[in-house]
Amino acid sequence: MKLFDVYPLFDIEPVSAKGSYIIDEKGDTYLDLYGGHAVISVGHSHPYYVEMLTNQLNKIGFYSNSVKIPLQEELAEKLGKQSGYPDYELFLCNSGAEANENAIKLASFHNGRKQVVAFSGSFHGRTSAAVAATDDPSINAPVNHSPNFVFAPFNDEEAAKELITDSTCAVIIEGMQGVGGVQVPTVSFLKLLRELCDKTGALLILDEVQSGYGRSGKFFAHQYAGIKPDLITVAKGMGNGFPVGAVLISPGIKPRHSMLGTTFGGNYLACAAGIAVLDIIEKENLVNNAAEAGKYLVDKISSLEGIKEVRGQGLMVGIELEYPCAETRKQLLFNHKIFTGSSSNKNTLRILPPLNIKTSELDVFVDAFAHMLEKSLAK
């Protein structure tokens, strides 16, 4: 049997990793400024993380949600405290797409409506409802097409006023668009969405799958706008590589048995990973480090010639060039041994390093990037 060929692959085989670095089978070391799509939040192979998972696996790795798993309660308590949402409730699953699926379903259960408003440039996942809310026809199969999902222009307040009505079930928006090229919703736009949802009875879903867990320099990116969503979805950095996802659910949404369910969500190992990440974030003050290191990087990059725009918050940074960045990424990877990310905006590099990255490590990237820009401008 062969693998189903859906991923274009770089000819690199990582065999080990530590902190902000990856080592391949040839012994070459790479600076990881992408973290596998913002997944690596507390660094590769953090000793406390490894210890937590190892100790848990030596006890029990899995049982279903038909029994008490106190680690789930510990994870929920710590997440509520650190995120600023202690009064919300937690549903654990395995991925960002699942989190968004369940958030949309909860919204529909709550108000009995069908229409979901999403935004241009959005990416919410590849499963049924999540991909229907994603602005990319190339990954939306015919079976996923639905008249229940409509798209408004991103950051367009007048369009939002027209589309969000008494028939709207939910409005779903990313804290920052990741795949869309690190596009940041304005404070006034997020506040308007909150007001419109309050007015119409729609629920506001904040997709913080990529922008959450301290990456923005706050625990959640939407906290820059001072709003509270009805539902918040998380994944990626939540488990530092172990598959963990969740929905944070506001107190006004009431549960009933069997309305949601999952086989693997909230298993012992997932909870151990999630708890370890939160412990490390708190102990090492990584939300603050993300804010400071991100500002340092943006200031350095913004001073370079040849940059069209730098966008983002904290350690979620998009660098837009005047030309497609695919070749730049390849040169960074193969000539300078630095991983970066792409986006649907072909001119934009995404920088999503571990939250404990050092400024000296960011300097390695800035120096290499500046050198490449100089060569490009000299042509």
Side-chain angles (χ1 to χ4, degrees), residues 209-240:
V209 168
Q210 188 170 132
S211 55
Y213 259 72
R215 180 154 297 281
S216 71
K218 289 187 180 291
F219 199 90
F220 291 126
H222 70 262
Q223 289 171 321
Y224 282 100
I227 63 164
K228 281 200 167 187
D230 300 293
L231 298 150
I232 306 165
T233 57
V234 291
K236 294 196 185 296
M238 187 177 187
N240 199 52

Side-chain angles (χ1 to χ4, degrees), residues 285-347:
N285 200 18
L286 295 190
V287 177
N288 186 64
N289 189 69
E292 292 182 352
K295 184 180 184 305
Y296 178 87
L297 175 62
V298 168
D299 288 346
K300 288 271 190 176
I301 292 296
S302 298
S303 67
L304 300 178
E305 281 191 64
I307 302 293
K308 180 178 179 181
E309 186 178 22
V310 182
R311 298 182 295 271
Q313 294 164 329
L315 286 172
M316 185 168 176
V317 177
I319 304 169
E320 185 170 350
L321 306 178
E322 298 283 357
Y323 46 84
C325 65
E327 184 60 31
T328 300
R329 285 187 67 221
K330 285 182 182 179
Q331 289 184 32
L332 283 168
L333 183 57
F334 293 107
N335 297 344
H336 298 277
K337 301 291 188 287
I338 301 172
F339 274 94
T340 58
S342 62
S343 70
S344 61
N345 179 333
K346 301 304 181 186
N347 292 10

Side-chain angles (χ1 to χ4, degrees), residues 125-147:
R126 296 176 182 270
T127 53
S128 180
V131 79
T134 291
D135 184 24
D136 184 351
S138 72
I139 65 170
N140 198 332
V143 72
N144 301 124
H145 294 175
S146 170

Side-chain angles (χ1 to χ4, degrees), residues 26-275:
K26 300 173 184 175
D28 291 334
T29 299
Y30 298 79
L31 177 62
D32 185 10
L33 298 188
Y34 193 55
H37 312 308
V39 166
I40 301 301
S41 51
V42 297
H44 292 282
S45 305
H46 191 291
Y48 179 75
Y49 175 85
V50 172
E51 180 185 9
M52 285 280 286
L53 280 166
T54 301
N55 289 345
Q56 185 58 53
L57 186 58
N58 283 327
K59 297 174 185 175
I60 179 173
F62 176 79
Y63 207 75
S64 73
N65 283 293
S66 60
V67 298
K68 291 182 178 180
I69 302 177
L71 287 175
Q72 294 181 354
E73 296 176 4
E74 182 182 350
L75 176 55
E77 189 274 332
K78 288 184 173 181
L79 177 53
K81 178 183 176 183
Q82 287 193 43
S83 68
Y85 286 95
D87 57 334
Y88 279 42
E89 294 182 331
L90 189 67
F91 176 75
L92 290 161
C93 53
N94 309 283
S95 69
E98 282 181 72
N100 285 327
E101 288 282 338
N102 283 290
I104 292 168
K105 180 183 283 189
L106 276 171
S108 188
F109 272 135
H110 180 74
N111 58 26
R113 302 176 187 176
K114 297 179 181 179
Q115 187 194 67
V116 176
V117 176
F119 296 94
S120 59
S122 62
F123 186 95
H124 298 291
R126 296 176 182 270
T127 53
S128 180
V131 79
T134 291
D135 184 24
D136 184 351
S138 72
I139 65 170
N140 198 332
V143 72
N144 301 124
H145 294 175
S146 170
N148 295 329
F149 293 81
V150 296
F151 292 88
F154 185 70
N155 273 336
D156 188 327
E157 297 189 6
E158 293 306 313
K161 290 175 185 176
E162 287 186 21
L163 280 176
I164 300 169
T165 70
D166 292 342
S167 299
T168 304
C169 167
V171 177
I172 184 167
I173 188 168
E174 292 156 272
M176 278 186 278
Q177 289 188 343
V179 173
V182 191
Q183 305 292 340
V184 184
T186 64
V187 168
S188 63
F189 191 62
L190 288 179
K191 285 186 174 180
L192 175 66
L193 296 184
R194 179 68 276 174
E195 291 170 8
L196 291 172
C197 287
D198 288 340
K199 179 180 177 181
T200 62
L203 268 59
L204 180 59
I205 303 172
L206 247 298
D207 177 344
E208 295 276 8
V209 168
Q210 188 170 132
S211 55
Y213 259 72
R215 180 154 297 281
S216 71
K218 289 187 180 291
F219 199 90
F220 291 126
H222 70 262
Q223 289 171 321
Y224 282 100
I227 63 164
K228 281 200 167 187
D230 300 293
L231 298 150
I232 306 165
T233 57
V234 291
K236 294 196 185 296
M238 187 177 187
N240 199 52
F242 197 97
V244 191
V247 187
L248 282 68
I249 305 161
S250 63
I253 302 171
K254 302 303 179 185
R256 61 172 170 78
H257 288 175
S258 299
M259 75 187 299
L260 302 178
T262 172
T263 296
F264 297 107
N267 66 72
Y268 293 92
L269 289 175
C271 288
I275 291 166

